[in-house]
Amino acid sequence: MTRQPNKLHEKEIDDIVAKMECAYSQVEEARGSPVQQPRAEIEFLAQAEAARNFMMSVLQSEKQDRQLLPRIFGGDCIRISRVRAVLEAVHVQCNGDRESQLRACFSACESVEQVLNDLGLGFALSLAQAREKERMSKRACKKFPQSKKSIMQIAEEEKERAPDMLKEKEKERESPTHTNSQQKAAAAALRDVVQQTAAAAAAAGNSNSNSN
């Protein structure tokens, strides 16, 4: 059922994303429990479905109100980047229906991101995605010791990808839509993300060594 644009508000998606992040924490805390983990995963998937439904409603409302999507998901692009970050961070035991729920949420997220890119917000989106991914990595390292190994692996992958990411930003310098100062800020921010993620992984490794 298509919702009216005037019924779609920022607070709704903010609440949904907050619940997704809370459910993500519950999934990690219940890791290994044959009873608690499935319950936590079901709650996360329920919130992912709510996020998907909201994003699809916004996308479907574009013909009636073209300003709705950029108003809710544009600007600094933090909202949509939070959705992607928590979807990429969570690890659930996927089978048929569960996998389709996650894919549907990812697909809606990508559709919103495509519109934002088309609106010229790709620069802000890339920065927001990097920052939110780094935030979720720090959160996992701090709260969930059992996730430290995977976080360290992610950090290594990010370090390997860093040169390619910076090359992409260098290419954007040729685009008239961005100033030199913006490009310098983007490169610096990306370097900071890689360095901070690596530092978090190193701290996780040291903590793990000390506990042993």
Side-chain angles (χ1 to χ4, degrees):
M1 180 177 178
T2 303
R3 296 172 57 183
Q4 293 300 313
N6 61 359
K7 300 293 184 180
L8 298 166
H9 302 287
E10 295 92 332
K11 185 179 184 303
E12 182 176 351
I13 188 62
D14 287 343
D15 289 344
I16 292 171
V17 175
K19 289 177 181 177
M20 286 179 74
E21 292 178 348
C22 181
Y24 159 73
S25 296
Q26 292 172 352
V27 169
E28 293 301 317
E29 289 169 356
R31 183 74 59 199
S33 170
V35 176
Q36 297 299 324
Q37 184 175 343
R39 289 179 181 175
E41 291 177 352
I42 289 172
E43 174 60 23
F44 180 86
L45 291 170
Q47 298 306 325
E49 184 174 9
R52 180 262 178 195
N53 291 341
F54 183 90
M55 290 186 285
M56 290 305 300
S57 293
V58 172
L59 287 163
Q60 292 166 0
S61 297
E62 269 209 290
K63 291 182 180 179
Q64 301 176 56
D65 184 355
R66 285 192 161 280
Q67 297 304 312
L68 183 64
L69 189 147
R71 188 184 77 234
I72 293 178
F73 291 111
D76 57 13
C77 301
I78 287 295
R79 286 191 179 94
I80 194 63
S81 297
R82 285 179 68 191
V83 174
R84 172 172 286 280
V86 72
L87 285 173
E88 291 181 343
V90 75
H91 298 284
V92 300
Q93 296 178 359
C94 286
N95 55 32
D97 292 341
R98 291 186 178 187
E99 186 174 5
S100 65
Q101 282 179 285
L102 278 180
R103 285 183 176 177
C105 192
F106 262 119
S107 179
C109 181
E110 289 169 350
S111 295
V112 171
E113 290 169 343
Q114 183 59 56
V115 174
L116 294 175
N117 273 306
D118 291 344
L119 291 172
L121 292 172
F123 176 80
L125 180 61
S126 65
L127 287 181
Q129 288 174 338
R131 288 169 180 161
E132 287 305 304
K133 186 171 184 177
E134 186 254 343
R135 181 180 69 86
M136 291 300 295
S137 295
K138 281 186 174 180
R139 176 175 178 166
C141 274
K142 183 176 180 181
K143 294 190 67 175
F144 314 118
Q146 67 270 37
S147 299
K148 288 178 180 177
K149 184 176 180 181
S150 62
I151 295 301
M152 292 174 71
Q153 291 173 342
I154 291 171
E156 289 301 319
E157 291 173 1
E158 289 298 316
K159 285 194 290 185
E160 292 176 0
R161 288 181 53 210
D164 293 334
M165 295 170 69
L166 292 175
K167 285 180 182 178
E168 290 176 5
K169 293 303 172 186
E170 289 290 337
K171 289 180 181 179
E172 290 182 5
R173 288 183 180 178
E174 301 175 1
S175 171
T177 59
H178 300 120
T179 65
N180 288 335
S181 61
Q182 286 177 317
Q183 290 300 326
K184 289 177 182 178
L190 286 169
R191 289 191 187 97
D192 287 344
V193 167
V194 172
Q195 291 170 358
Q196 290 169 4
T197 306
N206 291 335
S207 175
N208 197 31
S209 297
N210 293 333
S211 63
N212 292 332

